Amino acid sequence: IEGQPFNENGVPMAKVTFMEWAPEDSPPSKDGEGVIGGAHPSASNGGFASGTKPYGFNEKIADGDRMTSQSNAAKCFKMAEDLEPLVDEWYGLVRLGEWERIPGQLDLIKSHIGEMPPREEPARRATWVASLINPIPALGVAYEIRPALLMARDTITMLTVATEGIRLSIERLRQGKNPPKPE
């Protein structure tokens, strides 16, 4: 992102460039260059260039053994699926506890972020959860998880950040507590 995201009238002004991100330890593409200017995130294949996969689905080393892409994907799908009941519980606690700062704020948030992506798109689902619990303007019921989610090196880490973020928010909502305000 280049420039300020909005001008003084609230009009988006930043230039956003979509690109496929590959960590330093991932192999280069066929032509030796990174893929830049990849597909928009809403495109088919989860927003990744044709023939590529999200880094979280690549082979990873766990306990000294290589995990196949298939088992890693299955873990991602399971983690993504496990977010659904947490979102339902979180949504109910926010409504019941009257945590909305303005009437209808949850409905407004959902109109902005849309429906939860399917479990087959785990990275999008993790990002959606972060958008739900850390909206702008803030609800003030969850710690800020967006930077950690954006810094995640793979899909499993994104899902872990989203899961831990919403679980911690649920715990605090059950106790009737807001997270501390940053100084």
Side-chain angles (χ1 to χ4, degrees):
I1 299 178
E2 298 174 19
Q4 295 296 318
F6 300 97
N7 70 12
E8 64 277 356
N9 298 320
V11 176
M13 299 301 294
K15 176 184 174 190
V16 178
T17 304
F18 291 98
M19 58 188 230
E20 182 173 357
W21 177 77
E24 296 77 34
D25 59 347
S26 65
S29 64
K30 290 183 273 192
D31 60 4
E33 298 294 323
V35 179
I36 298 178
H40 186 279
S42 64
S44 63
N45 191 24
F48 293 90
S50 176
T52 65
K53 296 178 183 173
Y55 181 69
F57 293 123
N58 293 341
E59 289 186 69
K60 312 258 314 153
I61 297 177
D63 303 321
D65 295 325
R66 287 214 171 257
M67 294 170 47
T68 64
S69 296
Q70 189 175 13
S71 67
N72 211 10
K75 183 176 181 179
C76 285
F77 294 152
K78 174 70 172 121
M79 291 175 74
E81 189 171 56
D82 291 346
L83 282 170
E84 198 160 336
L86 294 172
V87 166
D88 292 340
E89 182 179 1
W90 181 88
Y91 195 79
L93 288 168
V94 171
R95 283 272 166 142
L96 270 166
E98 299 179 356
W99 289 99
E100 294 173 288
R101 292 188 174 181
I102 57 172
Q105 188 175 6
L106 280 179
D107 294 332
L108 178 64
I109 292 164
K110 286 192 99 177
S111 76
H112 289 167
I113 64 175
E115 293 299 316
M116 183 187 307
R119 76 178 189 104
E120 291 80 18
E121 298 180 53
R124 282 191 61 223
R125 186 173 271 206
T127 305
W128 185 91
V129 168
S131 299
L132 177 68
I133 69 173
N134 292 145
I136 298 173
L139 275 167
V141 298
Y143 287 102
E144 178 61 67
I145 66 168
R146 290 174 295 190
L149 187 109
L150 293 171
M151 293 297 293
R153 295 182 60 85
D154 57 36
T155 305
I156 290 173
T157 306
M158 292 175 74
L159 288 160
T160 301
V161 168
T163 300
E164 292 307 310
I166 198 165
R167 279 188 180 148
L168 185 57
S169 181
I170 287 169
E171 285 176 30
R172 297 191 63 82
L173 287 166
R174 285 180 185 156
Q175 297 168 4
K177 296 180 182 175
N178 270 342
K181 295 197 184 334
E183 310 233 357

